[in-house]
Amino acid sequence: MVKTFKSIFFYTGAFALCVPPLFVFIWMILTGLKTGIQNISYPPEFLFTPTLENFRAVFQQYNFFRYLLNSLIIATLATAISLVLGLPAAYSIAKYRQNKIGIIILIARMTPFVSYLLPWYIIFRYLKLIDTYSALTITHLIITMPMVIWLMVSFFESMPSELEDAAMIDGCSRWQSFLLIVLPLVRNGIATAAIMSFIFSWNQFLFSLILSGPKTKTVPVAVYNFISYGKIDWAGIGAAATLIVLPVSIFAFFVRKSIVQGLTMGALKD
Amino acid sequence: MANVILKNLIKRYGSVTAVDNLNIEIRDREFAVLVGPSGCGKTTALRMIAGLETVTSGDIYIGDTLVNDMAPKDRDIAMVFQNYALYPHMNVRDNLGFGLKMRKFSKTEIDRRVQEAADILGIHDLLERKPKELSGGQRQRVAVGRAIVRKPKVFLFDEPLSNLDAKLRVAMRAEISKLHRRLGATIVYVTHDQVEAMTMADRIFIMHNGTLQQSGMPLDVYNKPANRFVAGFIGSPAMNFIETRLVREKDTWFIASEGFKVRLPEAFYPRVEPYADRPVIFGVRPEDMEEHDPATGSDSGNTLTVQAEVVETLGFEVFVYLTCGPHALVARMEVPKHPLTVGQTLEVDLKMAQIHLFDRETSQTIV
Ligand SMILES: Nc1ncnc2c1ncn2[C@@H]1O[C@H](COP(=O)(O)OP(=O)(O)O)[C@@H](O)[C@H]1O
Ligand SMILES: [Mg+2]
């Protein structure tokens, strides 16, 4: 009885949470499959002959493939650097209880990003780094690195310290015990951190808008360019947005188990 | 040769002194047990021997080498942890071989030693399993196995049996003792369980509040506790203590308290003399009390009249919870001929040669 009640509750809640984003998602895909005329017709048409013309146009007119590649390179670099620097940092914060450093990193993350824009623009222009992968990757780190660190701290904290003690007695140096014992044990967390970090970098708009240029434009910025003074290319936006979101969504669908584990496992001992 | 010497060893955590001026000399091939209640500093002492914890001051020697600044891996020790600390992502074989792999042993030598350890511990069937697929007792064996493959000079055990159920604990106790004889290595074994200490140790070292209270062979410590703490800690059920006074009547010494008076054996007189008319703590072990047998005749001044409150029958013996005036006592006796009933008055004899007296202020043993 209580159980059915609970599951009714659960499904109602899940439904309420999932329907709005799903609606928007489907709307976006439909927009990409319609022609420009169909998109602005009122009332909206739900029965229409889908066209792939917009997708073709996105690649032909806008060099969209280049933007996808840019996003991929930057997100990969940002994620890789966040892991290489963030994992040891998180480990150190967890092991030596450097809570102050943890807080500072959190503050950096919580500062409104707009406030970074101007100084960064000036600095990167001075360094002649505008429109380079370096500038974009570095700025994305302000988002991805704290995420990696904060996620991983709880993983490292939940690891019994005796495992490392045993490793040290078994002949490991500190680094070896970190690489051979600690990291393999938190691999779920690392996977989660990497995925989240990749997605956040992939979706990042503000920094990319200011600091990228023709050579390094990322996909969210590219989509923004579909909005021009005169008109908004809804069909193009729909197709492009679908192209941006789809790979990440499919990816997330396949690794969802590991993400859920990763986000809940930090709490588990043993 | 691996003796382990702790000299004036001190460990402080901020204002907490976990280990306070410990002086211990463990001989080569000895099975030494550090025993004491939880929080007395046993683990800290062991971790300092392992090199997992720095010393605040003092020296540690392993095999006559000063190891204070030596990394754990260079000390030629192996440690078995209370929670086993098996590497969860490796199967049993890799867990056993990890230490050898890190020390660059050849593949064949690693295989040989892992096989050998598996033979000794009977864990052949488990080699391909992950730790989480093992029962508590099996994990325990693997943890011991990981220690023995390395053939270290000194084994350190931190409460290795405390997570096992009672039956398994008894079995493993015997097995670790056997292993000690077979390996011929020095073992430093930490436990809070005095039964483990008594049954396994060549010598036991009793700790309390970070300090060493007494060391010696198990029976010596049992028979001649150095102070009231040791007397109460070793033995189960614990020794009975009664606050008493030493009184002299003519040429005879008695210890007396409300509802309680026994005559001291003459052999004790010289040592109790200075405590005349002063309060002392009287101690008698439950097993040193027996039902008075009227047939043995005359009263030798060691008989108490008591009341039985609770009787626990264990089959071959009984624990009788008694009151003697305001004092509560436990006696451990043979099963009486006539069943005892609750509230029954009976007479018990104390084995006076085995009683103990402690200084009330210093807690040190008088006799
Ligand atoms: N890392 C630590 N930081 C602060 N205090 C500690 C630490 N480790 C142990 N202690 C303290 O030292 C004392 C002895 O602890 P421990 O050696 O673990 O005792 P035992 O193993 O005998 O139960 C305890 O009071 C404990 O709180
Ligand atoms: Mg302990």
Short mmCIF file of all heavy atoms in Angstrom, two decimals, chain B residues 13 16-18 36-45 53 158-159 190, ligand 1:
data_model
loop_
_atom_site.label_atom_id
_atom_site.label_comp_id
_atom_site.label_asym_id
_atom_site.label_seq_id
_atom_site.Cartn_x
_atom_site.Cartn_y
_atom_site.Cartn_z
N TYR B 13 49.43 14.34 19.37
CA TYR B 13 48.60 14.99 18.35
C TYR B 13 48.08 16.26 19.00
O TYR B 13 47.16 16.19 19.80
CB TYR B 13 47.42 14.12 17.95
CG TYR B 13 47.78 12.83 17.25
CD1 TYR B 13 47.68 11.62 17.91
CD2 TYR B 13 48.20 12.84 15.93
CE1 TYR B 13 47.99 10.44 17.27
CE2 TYR B 13 48.52 11.67 15.29
CZ TYR B 13 48.41 10.47 15.95
OH TYR B 13 48.71 9.31 15.32
N VAL B 16 46.92 16.14 22.64
CA VAL B 16 46.69 14.75 23.03
C VAL B 16 48.01 13.98 22.95
O VAL B 16 48.68 14.01 21.94
CB VAL B 16 45.67 14.07 22.08
CG1 VAL B 16 45.44 12.63 22.50
CG2 VAL B 16 44.38 14.85 22.07
N THR B 17 48.37 13.34 24.06
CA THR B 17 49.53 12.47 24.01
C THR B 17 49.04 11.05 23.82
O THR B 17 48.51 10.44 24.72
CB THR B 17 50.35 12.59 25.31
OG1 THR B 17 50.68 13.96 25.50
CG2 THR B 17 51.63 11.79 25.22
N ALA B 18 49.21 10.55 22.61
CA ALA B 18 48.68 9.22 22.28
C ALA B 18 49.59 8.13 22.82
O ALA B 18 49.12 7.11 23.30
CB ALA B 18 48.51 9.09 20.78
N GLY B 36 45.50 -3.39 25.51
CA GLY B 36 45.02 -2.30 26.35
C GLY B 36 43.66 -1.88 25.84
O GLY B 36 43.27 -2.25 24.74
N PRO B 37 42.95 -1.10 26.66
CA PRO B 37 41.61 -0.69 26.23
C PRO B 37 41.67 0.24 25.03
O PRO B 37 42.72 0.77 24.70
CB PRO B 37 41.06 0.03 27.45
CG PRO B 37 42.24 0.45 28.23
CD PRO B 37 43.32 -0.55 27.96
N SER B 38 40.55 0.43 24.38
CA SER B 38 40.47 1.28 23.20
C SER B 38 40.96 2.69 23.53
O SER B 38 40.63 3.24 24.57
CB SER B 38 39.02 1.31 22.74
OG SER B 38 38.90 2.13 21.63
N GLY B 39 41.80 3.24 22.65
CA GLY B 39 42.27 4.59 22.84
C GLY B 39 43.54 4.71 23.65
O GLY B 39 43.98 5.81 23.96
N CYS B 40 44.15 3.58 24.01
CA CYS B 40 45.34 3.64 24.86
C CYS B 40 46.62 3.87 24.07
O CYS B 40 47.69 3.99 24.64
CB CYS B 40 45.45 2.38 25.71
SG CYS B 40 45.96 0.94 24.77
N GLY B 41 46.52 3.92 22.75
CA GLY B 41 47.71 4.25 21.96
C GLY B 41 48.37 3.07 21.27
O GLY B 41 49.46 3.20 20.71
N LYS B 42 47.71 1.93 21.24
CA LYS B 42 48.30 0.73 20.63
C LYS B 42 48.51 0.93 19.13
O LYS B 42 49.60 0.69 18.61
CB LYS B 42 47.37 -0.48 20.81
CG LYS B 42 46.87 -0.71 22.20
CD LYS B 42 45.93 -1.89 22.27
CE LYS B 42 44.63 -1.72 21.53
NZ LYS B 42 43.67 -0.79 22.17
N THR B 43 47.45 1.37 18.45
CA THR B 43 47.55 1.54 17.01
C THR B 43 48.61 2.57 16.67
O THR B 43 49.41 2.39 15.75
CB THR B 43 46.18 1.98 16.44
OG1 THR B 43 45.25 0.94 16.68
CG2 THR B 43 46.26 2.23 14.96
N THR B 44 48.63 3.65 17.42
CA THR B 44 49.62 4.70 17.17
C THR B 44 51.02 4.14 17.30
O THR B 44 51.89 4.40 16.45
CB THR B 44 49.40 5.86 18.16
OG1 THR B 44 48.04 6.28 18.07
CG2 THR B 44 50.30 7.02 17.83
N ALA B 45 51.26 3.35 18.35
CA ALA B 45 52.58 2.75 18.53
C ALA B 45 52.93 1.86 17.35
O ALA B 45 54.03 1.93 16.80
CB ALA B 45 52.62 1.96 19.84
N GLU B 53 53.48 6.74 10.73
CA GLU B 53 53.27 7.88 11.61
C GLU B 53 54.66 8.32 12.06
O GLU B 53 55.49 7.47 12.39
CB GLU B 53 52.44 7.42 12.82
CG GLU B 53 51.51 8.41 13.41
CD GLU B 53 50.28 8.66 12.56
OE1 GLU B 53 49.44 7.75 12.37
OE2 GLU B 53 50.18 9.79 12.08
N ASP B 158 47.27 -5.27 13.50
CA ASP B 158 46.44 -4.34 14.26
C ASP B 158 45.03 -4.92 14.40
O ASP B 158 44.24 -4.84 13.47
CB ASP B 158 46.39 -2.98 13.59
CG ASP B 158 45.73 -1.93 14.48
OD1 ASP B 158 45.36 -2.28 15.63
OD2 ASP B 158 45.58 -0.78 14.04
N GLU B 159 44.73 -5.47 15.54
CA GLU B 159 43.42 -6.04 15.82
C GLU B 159 42.87 -6.84 14.63
O GLU B 159 41.77 -6.55 14.15
CB GLU B 159 42.42 -4.93 16.18
CG GLU B 159 42.98 -3.98 17.22
CD GLU B 159 42.02 -3.69 18.33
OE1 GLU B 159 40.99 -4.38 18.43
OE2 GLU B 159 42.31 -2.79 19.13
N VAL B 190 48.64 -6.24 18.02
CA VAL B 190 47.89 -5.29 18.85
C VAL B 190 46.46 -5.77 19.01
O VAL B 190 45.83 -6.19 18.04
CB VAL B 190 47.91 -3.89 18.19
CG1 VAL B 190 46.74 -3.05 18.66
CG2 VAL B 190 49.22 -3.19 18.47
N1 LIG C 1 45.46 11.18 13.70
C1 LIG C 1 45.12 11.47 14.97
N2 LIG C 1 44.85 12.75 15.31
C2 LIG C 1 44.53 13.07 16.58
N3 LIG C 1 44.44 12.19 17.58
C3 LIG C 1 44.68 10.90 17.31
C4 LIG C 1 45.04 10.47 15.99
N4 LIG C 1 45.22 9.14 16.03
C5 LIG C 1 45.00 8.75 17.30
N5 LIG C 1 44.67 9.81 18.07
C6 LIG C 1 44.39 9.76 19.51
O1 LIG C 1 45.42 9.06 20.14
C7 LIG C 1 44.91 8.19 21.13
C8 LIG C 1 45.34 6.78 20.88
O2 LIG C 1 44.72 6.29 19.71
P1 LIG C 1 45.00 4.85 19.13
O3 LIG C 1 46.46 4.62 19.03
O4 LIG C 1 44.21 4.71 17.90
O5 LIG C 1 44.39 3.92 20.27
P2 LIG C 1 44.07 2.37 20.25
O6 LIG C 1 44.57 1.79 18.98
O7 LIG C 1 44.78 1.84 21.45
O8 LIG C 1 42.59 2.24 20.40
C9 LIG C 1 43.40 8.38 21.14
O9 LIG C 1 43.08 9.26 22.17
C10 LIG C 1 43.13 8.99 19.79
O10 LIG C 1 42.02 9.84 19.88
#
